[in-house]
């Protein structure tokens, strides 16, 4: 079985300060993990993915995430927030080679950026 | 052109009406999915299809049906719409080997 928990429903940071969006997962199989971003009234865009290669994954727009198996975490970070980062972020887990092979979404974290 | 196209983008319908949401893709992926998004609940899987002859229920399939007309087309129907089906609906496709999902832009459905 797979599940994903996003620990914060809302995060607010000042422009230029670091961003941390937290995600914990559980999976019976070797997981693939993803972060997606959804800007207001837009679809879902892939930020980055982890698929058992390097544990530190770099994505678009300066975001990165680190896979920590011992902590079952896949937190999303960015060194310096920009106003355009304001959006909703979803952590997603997938067990690629399971018979179901479908993805499970976290409940989302809304990121607000203060000027 | 978008890789995954959903129509309509927005729809308001009345309780009890039948409505169909359509999805087409140019990714060449065998796997297609329908999700609904509700505030604070993330995306939940309604139905998924691994090929034209394979249809599977997701976690919230009650009140919905689907049709996989071709590899590239996967439609979602609400036989008798009810207000709690008001949501944002996403179609997605996936490549089994790379595990990458491509989402459509969504259909915002309001049932009044």
């Amino acid at each position: 079985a797979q599940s994903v928990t996003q620990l914060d429903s809302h995060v607010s940071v000042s422009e230029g300060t670091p961003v941390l969006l937290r995600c914990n997962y559980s999976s019976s199989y070797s997981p693939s993990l993803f972060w997606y971003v959804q800007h207001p009234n837009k679809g879902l865009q892939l930020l980055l993915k982890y698929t058992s290669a390097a544990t530190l994954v770099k994505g678009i727009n300066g975001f990165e995430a680190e896979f920590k198996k011992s902590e079952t975490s896949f937190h999303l970070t960015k060194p310096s927030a920009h106003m355009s980062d304001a959006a909703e972020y979803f952590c997603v887990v997938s067990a690629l080679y399971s018979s179901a092979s479908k993805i499970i979404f976290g409940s989302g974290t809304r990121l607000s950026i203060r000027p | 052109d978008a890789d995954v196209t959903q129509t309509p983008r927005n729809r308001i319908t009345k309780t009890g009406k039948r409505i169909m949401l359509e999805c087409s893709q140019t990714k060449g992926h065998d796997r297609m999915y329908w999700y609904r998004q509700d505030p604070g609940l993330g995306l939940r899987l309604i139905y998924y299809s691994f090929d034209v002859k394979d249809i599977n229920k997701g976690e919230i399939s009650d009140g919905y049906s689907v049709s996989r007309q071709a590899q590239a087309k996967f439609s979602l129907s609400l036989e008798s719409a009810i207000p709690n089906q008001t949501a944002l609906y996403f179609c997605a496709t996936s490549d089994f080997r790379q595990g990458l999902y491509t989402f459509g832009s969504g259909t915002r459905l309001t049932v009044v």
Side-chain angles (χ1 to χ4, degrees):
Chain A
Q2 304 164 74
S3 67
V4 59
T5 302
Q6 291 183 244
L7 298 169
D8 307 291
S9 59
H10 182 213
V11 170
S12 180
V13 302
S14 297
E15 189 174 19
T17 65
V19 174
L20 170 64
L21 306 184
R22 299 182 295 165
C23 173
N24 287 350
Y25 72 92
S26 68
S27 179
S28 303
Y29 302 89
S30 296
S32 291
L33 294 156
F34 308 81
W35 277 97
Y36 282 85
V37 60
Q38 183 182 27
H39 287 92
N41 300 312
K42 299 287 187 183
L44 291 149
Q45 180 183 20
L46 180 67
L47 271 181
L48 50 80
K49 64 170 182 171
Y50 165 78
T51 54
S52 76
T55 56
L56 182 62
V57 182
K58 295 187 183 299
I60 61 172
N61 301 334
F63 284 94
E64 62 182 38
E66 186 172 7
F67 174 71
K68 293 186 175 180
K69 186 175 181 179
S70 61
E71 299 176 10
T72 61
S73 69
F74 190 59
H75 301 334
L76 182 70
T77 61
K78 183 173 180 177
S80 176
H82 190 273
M83 295 299 293
S84 62
D85 295 329
E88 185 139 21
Y89 292 79
F90 294 96
C91 183
V92 176
V93 64
S94 170
L96 267 185
Y97 301 108
S98 72
S99 59
S101 191
K102 56 187 184 292
I103 58 175
I104 305 295
F105 279 77
S107 55
T109 298
R110 183 165 59 90
L111 176 63
S112 300
I113 312 296
R114 300 186 299 271
Chain B
D1 289 341
D3 293 322
V4 181
T5 302
Q6 291 184 233
T7 55
R9 291 295 304 273
N10 291 282
R11 180 74 180 266
I12 300 174
T13 192
K14 294 184 177 180
T15 297
K17 292 291 187 182
R18 183 180 188 275
I19 183 168
M20 178 182 289
L21 310 183
E22 299 191 8
C23 177
S24 62
Q25 54 121 340
T26 59
K27 300 289 289 183
H29 291 165
D30 287 328
R31 300 182 173 208
M32 297 187 73
Y33 310 80
W34 275 104
Y35 290 86
R36 66 175 278 175
Q37 182 181 18
D38 298 278
L41 295 178
L43 273 72
R44 293 180 292 166
L45 183 64
I46 305 172
Y47 270 95
Y48 62 103
S49 169
F50 284 174
D51 65 40
V52 174
K53 297 181 180 179
D54 177 78
I55 302 289
N56 304 280
K57 292 183 177 180
E59 58 183 307
I60 54 164
S61 59
D62 288 349
Y64 301 94
S65 63
V66 291
S67 174
R68 184 81 183 267
Q69 300 96 324
Q71 188 210 34
K73 296 184 181 294
F74 191 38
S75 60
L76 176 72
S77 294
L78 287 67
E79 296 299 326
S80 179
I82 57 176
N84 76 1
Q85 291 176 313
T86 293
L88 183 57
Y89 290 84
F90 285 102
C91 175
T93 73
S94 74
D95 175 342
F96 171 73
R97 279 175 296 279
Q98 297 202 18
L100 291 176
Y101 285 67
T102 303
F103 288 85
S105 298
T107 294
R108 186 168 296 281
L109 177 66
T110 304
V111 183
V112 298

